Amino acid sequence: MNALLYIFTLYILECVGLRDLQIHVPVAIPSGSTLQMNCTYDLENTALYSIKWYLRDQEFYRFVPKESPPTRVFAFPGITVDVQESDRNKVTIRNAQRILTGFYKCEVSADAPLFHTGIKTKLTYVTDEPSSPPTLHSNKMKYSAGDVINVSCITGESYPAVNVSWFLNNQTAKTVELVSITTYSEKREAELLITKSYLIFRIDRLSFPTGRIRVRCEISQFDLYRSSSEIELIDNAPPKLAEVIEPTPPPRSTGNAPRLRDWTSIITSFTMAALTFIVHAELLLV
């Protein structure tokens, strides 16, 4: 009987404890800002024994309700914990720098008798935005049909590397035929990176009937940073001459009435004859 009671008690205890553990960490934050992370959980009426926070498996913050004080901070290069803004659910780090990029782990343990423990991990980036907008350069600014255009887009130093998108006349370059894109990053001092991307395509006037091609390189870093640069390529073909249109002749008269200019001639002749008659009459009277 006692054995059955013991087994039943263990079953009940196994059905309660830590549930629904979730870690809430931003995907990315800019360097120098505040990093606040949360752990939510349901202990189902069991007391909290401890909550611990790790970066790359190294503990830097602990909360134990039964201890006094309940919070403990462990030395970690670059981490400054704001104890006033940290508790059993959250931890706050001030002035976060790039070196704090990594996997953060929240470990929650329920109290006796089972000490159920749950762990959740999530990656976050502390970013340095590019030091300058992207720079564009083309192997030629004027083109002819069949030419191969090579445009480079080079970014300023950043961490991590930026994403690069290309556009031709506001159309995503990847959807244009005969387009090749190559992108890679180079490491510089202090783990910073520059990104180089090359857009290569063959000119087809059917694809660019206006004679002008706007090439745009757009870079982004999560939802924290976005910038772009643009150049315009011009068709090198000679301009077409305007078509000469012959003037339309005036309509021909279809009736018996004389044209307007014939009436004008008649009136003019009549007027001159009348003036001549008057002049002669005045001379005879004299």
Side-chain angles (χ1 to χ4, degrees), residues 37-244:
M37 300 170 287
N38 289 269
C39 248
T40 57
Y41 46 87
D42 182 5
L43 292 175
E44 296 186 331
N45 298 319
T46 302
L48 174 67
Y49 177 71
S50 69
I51 181 168
K52 301 175 182 180
W53 284 89
Y54 301 81
L55 171 57
R56 299 188 287 270
D57 294 324
Q58 182 176 340
E59 186 180 5
F60 64 90
Y61 175 79
R62 180 185 300 178
F63 184 91
V64 182
K66 291 183 177 181
E67 294 183 356
S68 183
T71 58
R72 291 184 64 185
V73 176
F74 302 91
F76 193 111
I79 289 184
T80 302
V81 176
D82 186 340
V83 178
Q84 300 299 320
E85 294 295 326
S86 304
D87 54 30
R88 66 175 60 226
N89 291 108
K90 68 177 184 290
V91 60
T92 303
I93 298 173
R94 300 293 185 189
N95 191 30
Q97 299 299 316
R98 185 175 69 249
I99 61 172
L100 299 189
T101 294
F103 284 93
Y104 287 83
K105 181 167 63 178
C106 172
E107 179 185 286
V108 178
S109 297
D111 208 342
L114 295 179
F115 294 101
H116 282 169
T117 298
I119 298 174
K120 290 289 183 178
T121 303
K122 192 173 181 182
L123 172 65
T124 192
Y125 285 91
V126 183
T127 69
D128 281 337
E129 68 179 36
S131 56
S132 62
T135 301
L136 286 181
H137 177 75
S138 176
N139 63 330
K140 56 178 66 179
M141 299 303 293
K142 292 186 177 182
Y143 65 84
S144 300
D147 284 352
V148 174
I149 303 296
N150 189 334
V151 184
S152 64
C153 178
I154 301 177
T155 71
E157 294 180 340
S158 68
Y159 181 86
V162 298
N163 293 318
V164 179
S165 300
W166 287 94
F167 299 87
L168 296 173
N169 289 346
N170 293 324
Q171 180 182 357
T172 302
K174 289 182 178 180
T175 64
V176 179
E177 293 184 1
L178 305 177
V179 167
S180 172
I181 299 174
T182 302
T183 303
Y184 61 91
S185 297
E186 294 180 355
K187 187 175 291 187
R188 296 301 175 90
E189 295 181 0
E191 301 300 314
L192 292 172
L193 300 161
I194 65 169
T195 301
K196 296 182 178 181
S197 186
Y198 297 89
L199 174 73
I200 302 174
F201 63 101
R202 186 178 296 276
I203 296 296
D204 180 359
R205 286 205 177 97
L206 294 178
S207 301
F208 307 103
T210 63
R212 293 178 180 269
I213 307 174
R214 294 190 309 278
V215 182
R216 186 170 85 249
C217 174
E218 185 174 283
I219 64 173
S220 61
Q221 199 178 53
F222 301 100
D223 59 352
L224 303 176
Y225 177 88
R226 188 176 299 274
S227 181
S228 65
S229 295
E230 183 176 292
I231 60 175
E232 187 174 69
L233 310 180
I234 302 174
D235 192 347
N236 198 32
K240 295 181 179 180
L241 297 177
E243 183 179 357
V244 178

